């Protein structure tokens, strides 16, 4: 748990350890689909007083996405610090109107690995996309899951459907929100530097006082530890939850989520229900599922029905 007096290294200790770091005193709510997630996010953003951090793979310009963008823009206009990160591939086409709406309101919008020019497709690392779907408001409430900012009943490849897609998110309050905020801040800073670092550097070098410009930029991008919501701020009737926030990157946290899954599967006694659109388990993960089934645990997999990418479907 991060407190106001915690050193920078201690505040990041959860990220430096390649395993889940649990904290107590959290309040966690499961949200099914955008029908549950979007109203809760909109309420939090409309009540924001200080800052909003949001990241999404897809930010669609349909009714659901536009309403979210309007709430973010309104927050920025009333003085809330709003930082948004979009993926350059996932939101390349559908996000143009959203980008304009947010930027015109003063939202600091960063694009992760942009694809505005055909030459950018040739740059190394373009297959590594931003699949984070997260929002943190005032450091008090966080939303994270698999839901993109678009109508649950619309698919970019299959069009509209009568039934919403099956997807989930969680709403969190308590110490775990600190870790969520640090992660979404970090990805925004990385995308912002990737987009504007060259221009910022040239401007600072040409300035009469380049050191002052560098300090101002650092103050804007720094990740400041903040005090988590206290237990008194949580719902007194809600049960206290022991929770950890885990991320996946290609360096320190490459297998943190997979290891957490594997450990839970190995400890399962009654049933395992795994819901995922993309399922490519390694040998260790498959072995854990096999062993669970052999010891009498009910193992059920719910995988993607309508395939969005043919290669992904063949691999699964």
């Amino acid at each position: 748990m991060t407190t106001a007096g915690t050193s920078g290294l201690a505040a990041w200790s959860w990220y430096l350890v390649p395993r889940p770091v649990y904290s107590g005193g959290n309040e966690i709510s499961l949200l099914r689909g955008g029908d549950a997630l979007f109203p809760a996010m909109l309420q939090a953003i409309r009540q924001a007083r200080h800052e909003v951090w949001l990241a999404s793979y897809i930010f669609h310009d349909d009714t659901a996405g536009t309403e979210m963008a309007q709430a973010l823009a309104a927050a920025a206009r009333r003085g809330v610090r709003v930082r948004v990160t979009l993926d350059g591939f996932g939101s390349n086409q559908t996000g143009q109107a959203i980008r304009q709406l947010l930027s015109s309101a003063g939202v600091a919008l960063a694009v992760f690995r942009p694809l505005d020019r055909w030459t950018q497709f040739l740059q190394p690392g373009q297959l590594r996309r931003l699949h984070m779907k997260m929002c943190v408001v005032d450091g008090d409430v966080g939303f994270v899951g698999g839901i993109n900012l678009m109508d649950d009943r619309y698919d970019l490849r299959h069009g509209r459907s009568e039934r919403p897609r099956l997807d989930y998110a969680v709403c969190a309050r308590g110490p775990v929100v600190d870790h969520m905020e640090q992660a979404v801040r970090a990805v925004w800073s990385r995308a912002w530097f990737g987009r504007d670092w060259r221009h910022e550097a040239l401007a600072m070098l040409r300035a009469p006082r380049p050191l002052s410009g560098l300090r101002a930029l650092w103050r804007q991008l720094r990740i400041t530890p903040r005090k988590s919501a206290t237990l008194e701020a949580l719902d007194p009737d809600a049960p206290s939850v022991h929770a950890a926030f885990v991320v996946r990157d290609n360096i320190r946290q490459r297998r943190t989520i997979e290891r957490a899954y594997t450990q839970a599967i190995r400890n399962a006694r009654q049933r395992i229900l795994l819901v995922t659109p993309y399922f490519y388990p390694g040998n260790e993960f498959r072995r854990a599922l096999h062993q669970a089934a052999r010891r009498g645990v009910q193992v059920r997999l719910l995988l993607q029905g309508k395939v969005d990418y043919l290669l992904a479907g063949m691999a699964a």
Side-chain angles (χ1 to χ4, degrees):
M1 176 177 178
T2 302
T3 61
T6 304
S7 67
L9 180 59
W12 279 87
S13 60
W14 72 275
Y15 188 80
L16 298 176
V17 179
R19 58 178 176 79
V21 178
Y22 286 88
S23 62
N26 297 287
E27 178 185 321
I28 306 294
S29 302
L30 180 65
L31 306 173
R32 176 169 174 170
D35 290 345
L37 171 65
F38 298 156
M41 279 182 58
L42 285 170
Q43 181 180 4
I45 292 170
R46 288 165 179 163
Q47 295 176 350
R49 295 172 296 170
H50 306 296
E51 59 186 10
V52 177
W53 297 87
L54 185 143
S56 183
Y57 177 66
I58 298 175
F59 203 141
H60 196 31
D61 55 358
D62 57 10
T63 302
T66 301
E67 186 177 15
M68 192 68 64
Q70 290 172 343
L72 292 167
R77 292 191 185 100
R78 66 174 184 267
V80 177
R81 187 173 183 241
V82 181
R83 300 290 184 262
V84 173
T85 311
L86 302 181
D87 183 74
F89 180 80
S91 299
N92 188 34
Q93 300 298 325
T94 64
Q96 294 299 328
I98 297 297
R99 294 187 198 185
Q100 179 60 34
L101 194 161
L102 295 176
S103 298
S104 63
V107 174
L109 176 63
V111 179
F112 184 86
R113 299 188 188 277
L115 295 171
D116 300 325
R117 302 185 303 273
W118 71 268
T119 54
Q120 292 173 328
F121 283 91
L122 305 178
Q123 295 176 353
Q126 287 291 7
L127 292 179
R128 296 173 181 170
R129 308 311 314 181
L130 172 69
H131 288 283
M132 179 182 290
K133 295 100 174 175
M134 193 183 327
C135 178
V136 177
V137 178
D138 288 340
D140 295 328
V141 57
F143 303 89
V144 62
I147 303 174
N148 286 294
L149 297 179
M150 62 185 300
D151 191 332
D152 272 354
R153 292 161 182 80
Y154 179 76
D155 186 273
L156 296 177
R157 293 183 176 272
H158 300 288
R160 297 202 64 82
S161 61
E162 294 182 1
R163 301 177 62 183
R165 69 175 59 85
L166 181 64
D167 218 332
Y168 294 92
V170 297
C171 174
R173 293 180 182 272
V176 73
V177 178
D178 276 339
H179 301 166
M180 296 170 62
E181 183 177 17
Q182 289 169 9
V184 72
R185 280 178 175 230
V187 75
W188 180 86
S189 299
R190 178 180 177 184
W192 185 266
F193 269 118
R195 184 193 68 171
D196 284 342
W197 171 245
R198 181 179 301 176
H199 304 290
E200 295 281 1
L202 290 174
M204 283 188 293
L205 289 174
R206 294 167 180 166
R209 301 173 63 185
L211 185 57
S212 298
L214 180 60
R215 289 172 178 169
L217 179 63
W218 174 249
R219 284 195 299 270
Q220 181 184 23
L221 297 180
R222 68 184 177 183
I223 300 175
T224 307
R226 66 166 60 244
K227 188 173 182 179
S228 294
T230 61
L231 293 181
E232 289 77 11
L234 304 180
D235 183 356
D237 297 325
S240 177
V241 177
H242 204 57
F245 175 71
V246 289
V247 297
R248 186 202 182 281
D249 59 29
N250 291 303
I251 306 175
R252 186 73 180 179
Q253 301 282 356
R254 187 174 182 86
R255 298 187 62 197
T256 303
I257 295 177
E258 180 183 352
R259 285 169 178 158
Y261 273 32
T262 303
Q263 185 63 40
I265 291 170
R266 287 172 176 166
N267 293 336
R269 298 179 179 180
Q270 297 179 354
R271 58 184 176 274
I272 298 169
L273 176 59
L274 179 61
V275 183
T276 180
Y278 307 109
F279 186 61
Y280 324 115
N283 289 332
E284 185 178 1
F285 196 95
R286 291 200 304 270
R287 190 178 304 114
L289 288 175
H290 292 162
Q291 291 172 349
R294 291 192 184 104
R295 65 175 183 266
V297 176
Q298 181 188 71
V299 180
R300 291 183 175 179
L301 306 179
L302 181 56
L303 309 181
Q304 189 178 46
K306 292 183 178 180
V307 176
D308 51 358
Y309 296 101
L310 180 60
L311 184 61
M314 295 173 63

